[in-house]
């Protein structure tokens, strides 16, 4: 299997630069896996495809203002930190620039000294560092004052409302990027879904930057997946298993929910509570044990996200759907439109 098998042509003007308002006004391509039928709706219509007894899974991670711009103490040179993962109260894994100038022992400051950082260790060759912060007060308060949202590099417009890059149900701080499939939900739409008898079940996966990076290896099997922290509580597992036991479906909001549930669900289809690091790589040929339907955005060419979608609906079907989305001028990527892939139950294992 080659990475180039997951490439497609996308006009640059179809990369959404700003979020649409209201959130649920985005377009929705509905793909029925069992029949091949496609429908073109708006996201608010997603409720029509959810049934009483289903479970809608959401990722309640919250994207933090993880990008810090400051200067290196001593030289005054400009530096940029992108916080990736918290190790303890004051220590973070970060991606720093310029990496060559920020070796172990380097000290930096942000906000005229409101926040200072010491580089403790090197974690990768591409600017990965372990850093310790020094400040007064509460770190989250300082970060809210000094940090900015780490928007993907393909978004060039200024985001006027930083919280527009978070879902309306974002709760637990920790992501360096948003689980963007959930950006389409409004509180009102979620309430209507609950009133219909659908159980909205939260899980957690803190999204790292590796999620959005194209695969660099041409041989897909040689790609090494990044790790991300996940949690599935006993309550969430029980509710998902109950939905399945009574004939309901598990509908995942985004690839992050898929990766979380497929990490903790066995071949028997039982969802098990757990927490830890996952590096699961879902590509064509990998079966699904938990996911019955998927709400997702349109993803980057050659990305692991497109590979996951291809595993769920078949590669040729996925690429054909993407080509149709281009023809119909759908908006792509983080602030773009959505698709709902539904139909057959689990155990999809398509390797075309």
């Amino acid at each position: 299997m080659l990475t180039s098998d997951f490439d497609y042509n996308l006009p640059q003007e179809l990369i959404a630069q700003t979020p649409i308002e209201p959130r649920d006004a985005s377009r929705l391509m509905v793909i029925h896996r069992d029949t091949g039928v496609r429908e073109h709706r708006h996201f608010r219509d997603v409720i029509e495809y959810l049934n009483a007894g289903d479970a809608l899974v959401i990722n309640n991670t919250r994207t933090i203002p993880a990008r810090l711009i400051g200067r290196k103490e001593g030289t005054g040179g400009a530096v940029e930190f992108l916080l990736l993962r918290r190790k303890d109260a004051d220590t973070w894994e970060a991606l720093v620039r310029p990496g060559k100038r920020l070796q172990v022992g380097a000290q930096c400051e942000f906000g005229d000294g409101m926040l200072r950082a010491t580089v403790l260790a090197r974690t990768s060759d591409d600017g990965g560092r372990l850093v310790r912060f020094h400040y007064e007060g509460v770190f989250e308060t300082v970060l809210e004052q000094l940090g900015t949202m780490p928007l993907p590099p393909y978004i060039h417009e200024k985001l006027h409302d930083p919280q527009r890059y978070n879902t309306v149900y974002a709760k637990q701080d920790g992501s360096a990027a948003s689980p963007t499939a959930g950006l389409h939900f409004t509180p009102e739409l979620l309430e209507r879904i609950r009133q219909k008898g659908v159980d909205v079940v939260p899980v957690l996966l803190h999204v790292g930057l590796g999620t959005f990076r194209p695969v660099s290896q041409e041989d897909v099997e040689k790609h090494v997946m990044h790790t991300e922290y996940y949690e599935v509580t006993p309550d969430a597992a029980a509710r998902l298993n109950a939905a399945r036991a009574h004939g309901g479906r598990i509908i995942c909001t985004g690839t992050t929910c898929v990766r979380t549930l497929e990490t903790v669900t066995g071949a028997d289809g039982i969802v098990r509570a757990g927490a830890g690091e996952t590096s699961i790589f879902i590509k064509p040929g990998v079966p699904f044990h938990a996911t019955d339907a998927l709400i997702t955005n349109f993803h980057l060419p050659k990305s692991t996200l497109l590979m996951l979608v291809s595993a769920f609906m078949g590669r040729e079907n996925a690429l054909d759907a993407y080509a149709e989305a281009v023809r119909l001028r759908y908006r792509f990527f983080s602030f773009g439109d959505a698709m709902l892939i539904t139909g057959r139950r689990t155990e999809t294992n398509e390797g075309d």
Side-chain angles (χ1 to χ4, degrees), residues 163-184:
Q163 292 312 311
R164 194 56 181 79
Y165 191 54
N166 266 315
T167 63
V168 297
Y169 47 77
K171 183 177 181 181
Q172 300 193 50
D173 286 351
S175 278
S178 178
T180 54
L183 295 179
H184 306 281

Side-chain angles (χ1 to χ4, degrees), residues 62 64-65 86 88-90 92 115 135-147 173-174:
R62 180 176 180 270
I64 61 174
R86 196 172 201 164
D88 61 38
D90 299 324
W92 286 75
L115 181 67
Y135 54 92
E136 292 184 1
V138 179
F139 181 78
E140 287 77 9
T141 302
V142 175
L143 190 62
E144 289 287 345
Q145 289 183 257
L146 301 180
D173 286 351

Side-chain angles (χ1 to χ4, degrees), residues 1 36 43 86 103 130 140 143 156 170 195 233 283 291 309 335:
M1 195 184 326
F43 193 82
R86 196 172 201 164
Q103 300 302 326
L130 192 67
E140 287 77 9
L143 190 62
H156 308 295
Q195 290 179 357
T233 65
K283 54 189 180 295
T291 310
V309 170
F335 288 142

Side-chain angles (χ1 to χ4, degrees), residues 120-157:
L120 300 179
R122 182 189 185 102
T123 58
S124 73
D125 293 332
D126 61 352
R129 299 290 187 271
L130 192 67
V131 300
R132 176 172 294 146
F133 288 103
H134 315 275
Y135 54 92
E136 292 184 1
V138 179
F139 181 78
E140 287 77 9
T141 302
V142 175
L143 190 62
E144 289 287 345
Q145 289 183 257
L146 301 180
T148 59
M149 281 293 183
L151 295 179
Y154 49 75
I155 294 178
H156 308 295
E157 297 287 334

Side-chain angles (χ1 to χ4, degrees), residues 8 21 60 150 157 194 232 257 321:
Y8 67 93
E21 295 296 343
N60 66 1
E157 297 287 334
R194 291 186 178 96
V232 177
C257 288

Side-chain angles (χ1 to χ4, degrees), residues 277-299:
E277 303 286 337
T278 182
S279 58
I280 189 172
F281 186 8
I282 301 175
K283 54 189 180 295
V286 175
F288 291 81
H289 301 305
T291 310
D292 296 312
L294 170 62
I295 298 168
T296 189
N297 282 12
F298 293 91
H299 303 294

Side-chain angles (χ1 to χ4, degrees), residues 56-59 169 181-182 185 251-258 293-295:
L56 176 66
V57 186
I58 58 174
N59 179 7
Y169 47 77
F185 285 104
I251 298 115
C252 285
T253 302
T255 57
T256 63
C257 288
V258 174
L294 170 62
I295 298 168

